[in-house]
Amino acid sequence: MILKETLAETVTAQKEFILSTDRGIERKMLGEIKLAPGFASVISGIRRAGKSTLLRQLIADKKEFAYLNFEDVRIFGFELKDFKRLEDIFSSQGGYDLCFFDELQNVEGWERYIRTLLDNKKTVVITGSNASLLSKELGSKLTGRHLRYELFPFSYNETLSFRQTKPSLQSFEEYLYGGGMPEYLKNNNDMILQELFNDIIARDITVRYNLRNPKLVKELALYLLSNVGKEFSFQRLKKLYELGSVNTVISLIGYYEDSYLLFTVPQFDFSLRNRLVNAKKVYAIDTGLIRANSASFSQDKGRLLENIVFIHLKRLRREVFYFKKNNECDFIARDKNKKLELFQVCFELNEDNKDREINGMLAAMEYTKNKTGTILTLNQSDELDFDLSAGQAGKKIIHVKPVWQWLLENDKGLM
């Protein structure tokens, strides 16, 4: 239970703080978020990706609104029954129809209070750094009353705006190695990304799920972070770490995904059963986070490039797979209309790798019946055409593009 006086002081101090916060550069998804009475807009994403700044941008010049960040130590131990006191405080500070709540998933039973607000036609915005804890309660108590959004670190275009610089190969290479975490971009200090990793492992995973082996939680995460773009299996990881049950590995990887640290990608197959049993690949939320926490990764430009493309496909709300039959293709991306796009990513297309990269793309095109595909490299442009199968008219076209130009061309898809 939180004393009403303590809660009132915290609410006042937090509102003053959020209004004094710099709005920063406008996030691309700002125009996508639709606020409506009786609906909750739920924004989830990795810790320190800029969710609070996005809230500030949504608040804009509004004066009448309710706001509370539930990670404030002054209200540690906030419980469901404290919402009544909170409601009294909000009402005493003036009328409000717009409510903003940061890291609300920390309060057990929060969805009941939000449902009451929505029933009273309030407009609610919720942020959180755990996808599972938010979605579980949303699905059970707020079905049909919420809109989901995922916030990622800065895109290349947003990073250019932040740094007030122009698109170029040099600025992209800085983005490739530095990533898009806002605090890192302000300070260019790897310790920020190392502490972010440690915070996620400790607070968002070990403490939240009451895990008894923090060493394992950290070591497995570092192993996966060092192997982005590679296949893994739960059984192999079980043997590698000499664990008694494969369920331990499955649970830990689920926690990494829920905290937005890592993502797993299934193999593309028209059979759902095959997709479930085949090995997966792993990618990370941010290339700067990979580089700063993995000494072995500093020179692996190709896999960093691959990770950049993967995260941008996630920004574009694509469902992402990898292709592997006799040949391999890095990504098959499926949009909300079930349209498939094919992407191969390599640092450079040259005489040594061109057959592998092109044949992998052609195999994926044949399997999916796509007539076009894209090979993304650091800085090459080309167009390759191939005859279709016997009896078919036309050509298969493979576009070769610089990743940084492709990122800019597709940033408008975020809106």
Side-chain angles (χ1 to χ4, degrees):
M1 180 184 293
I2 309 297
L3 291 175
K4 190 171 183 178
E5 183 180 4
T6 301
L7 192 53
E9 290 174 355
T10 304
V11 168
T12 300
Q14 284 194 8
K15 189 169 184 178
E16 291 174 354
F17 175 78
I18 195 72
L19 287 173
S20 67
T21 300
D22 182 10
R23 297 186 193 183
I25 67 158
E26 183 174 306
R27 298 304 300 262
K28 287 288 181 181
M29 70 180 301
L30 182 64
E32 182 184 346
I33 299 172
K34 306 301 181 186
L35 303 182
F39 280 85
S41 296
V42 183
I43 304 166
S44 58
I46 189 172
R47 184 179 292 274
R48 298 182 205 164
K51 294 187 294 295
S52 296
T53 302
L54 181 60
L55 284 190
R56 179 67 187 92
Q57 294 173 6
L58 286 167
I59 291 169
D61 297 318
K62 300 176 181 69
K63 300 300 181 183
E64 301 297 332
F65 65 90
Y67 171 78
L68 190 62
N69 182 343
F70 289 88
E71 286 209 322
D72 195 312
V73 295
R74 292 170 290 190
I75 55 170
F76 178 77
F78 191 101
E79 299 173 344
L80 184 61
K81 58 188 175 184
D82 291 316
F83 278 116
K84 178 63 173 68
R85 291 184 179 82
L86 182 62
E87 183 74 15
D88 292 341
I89 292 165
F90 285 156
S91 298
S92 69
Q93 294 183 349
Y96 70 95
D97 291 308
L98 186 57
C99 310
F100 297 91
F101 298 115
D102 232 340
E103 300 296 343
L104 184 58
Q105 80 276 345
N106 292 335
V107 182
E108 187 174 350
W110 60 267
E111 71 281 0
R112 299 177 190 175
Y113 174 63
I114 297 301
R115 182 59 188 250
T116 300
L117 292 177
L118 299 183
D119 288 343
N120 290 323
K121 300 303 179 184
K122 303 291 187 183
T123 301
V124 178
V125 181
I126 302 166
T127 75
S129 54
N130 186 290
S132 178
L133 289 179
L134 283 172
S135 61
K136 181 181 177 183
E137 282 78 9
L138 289 169
S140 61
K141 298 294 192 303
L142 300 176
T143 303
R145 304 288 296 276
H146 68 279
L147 303 169
R148 290 292 305 270
Y149 305 92
E150 287 186 308
L151 183 68
F152 291 86
F154 283 167
S155 66
Y156 175 49
N157 200 9
E158 288 173 322
T159 301
L160 292 175
S161 298
F162 182 84
R163 288 189 158 162
Q164 298 182 323
T165 189
K166 294 181 179 180
S168 69
L169 183 58
Q170 179 182 343
S171 66
F172 174 71
E173 288 194 280
E174 291 174 356
Y175 177 68
L176 178 67
Y177 294 111
M181 296 302 295
E183 288 182 26
Y184 173 78
L185 293 175
K186 290 177 186 175
N187 300 281
N188 288 307
N189 186 339
D190 279 358
M191 288 183 64
I192 292 170
L193 298 174
Q194 292 160 1
E195 284 305 308
L196 172 59
F197 174 80
N198 289 331
D199 273 357
I200 293 169
I201 294 299
R203 298 170 62 184
D204 293 340
I205 299 174
T206 305
V207 173
R208 177 165 282 157
Y209 297 104
N210 194 27
L211 303 181
R212 300 176 183 177
N213 191 345
K215 184 172 180 287
L216 172 64
V217 178
K218 185 171 184 177
E219 286 185 356
L220 179 56
L222 284 172
Y223 174 83
L224 293 170
L225 205 63
S226 301
N227 286 277
V228 298
K230 294 183 179 180
E231 292 180 39
F232 75 92
S233 77
F234 299 128
Q235 285 290 349
R236 286 202 299 267
L237 292 175
K238 170 184 170 288
K239 292 178 181 178
L240 179 65
Y241 287 94
E242 299 179 344
L243 300 172
S245 170
V246 72
N247 290 331
T248 302
V249 178
I250 293 172
S251 294
L252 286 175
I253 291 176
Y255 300 151
Y256 301 147
E257 292 195 89
D258 286 344
S259 63
Y260 289 93
L261 178 64
L262 296 167
F263 301 83
T264 60
V265 176
Q267 182 177 326
F268 184 83
D269 200 293
F270 289 112
S271 164
L272 176 60
R273 180 185 177 279
N274 289 343
R275 289 207 301 269
L276 293 174
V277 300
N278 288 329
K280 300 178 186 295
K281 285 190 175 184
V282 65
Y283 293 94
I285 187 67
D286 182 72
T287 52
L289 196 67
I290 297 170
R291 180 192 51 75
N293 289 281
S294 175
S296 63
F297 218 100
S298 58
Q299 298 303 315
D300 204 328
K301 301 174 182 177
R303 283 196 285 143
L304 287 176
L305 209 64
E306 197 175 317
N307 205 100
I308 288 274
V309 173
F310 169 76
I311 287 298
H312 201 69
L313 289 171
K314 294 294 288 184
R315 276 194 198 93
L316 296 172
R317 297 188 173 186
R318 301 298 191 261
E319 189 178 6
V320 185
F321 308 87
Y322 75 95
F323 174 82
K324 185 177 182 180
K325 298 297 179 185
N326 293 326
N327 303 91
E328 296 186 33
C329 181
D330 291 321
F331 301 119
I332 296 180
R334 183 162 60 193
D335 67 15
K336 63 183 180 181
N337 298 316
K338 306 300 182 183
K339 177 185 175 184
L340 300 179
E341 295 178 281
L342 313 182
F343 299 93
Q344 194 79 290
V345 186
C346 58
F347 193 76
E348 179 185 40
L349 195 62
N350 53 44
E351 294 301 323
D352 292 331
N353 67 8
K354 70 175 185 180
D355 287 343
R356 182 182 71 244
E357 303 294 347
I358 291 172
N359 288 337
M361 174 60 75
L362 290 173
M365 292 168 71
E366 181 70 23
Y367 188 78
T368 60
K369 308 303 180 187
N370 273 42
K371 293 184 179 181
T372 61
T374 303
I375 296 179
L376 297 169
T377 72
L378 180 68
N379 200 37
Q380 292 169 284
S381 298
D382 206 341
E383 186 173 291
L384 313 173
D385 61 82
F386 303 85
D387 291 330
L388 293 173
S389 302
Q392 293 181 298
K395 298 280 187 179
K396 292 179 180 176
I397 306 295
I398 298 178
H399 303 282
V400 182
K401 292 184 177 183
V403 170
W404 60 278
Q405 290 185 6
W406 174 81
L407 291 172
L408 295 174
E409 290 170 2
N410 286 277
D411 217 6
K412 60 181 179 295
L414 297 174
M415 301 300 288

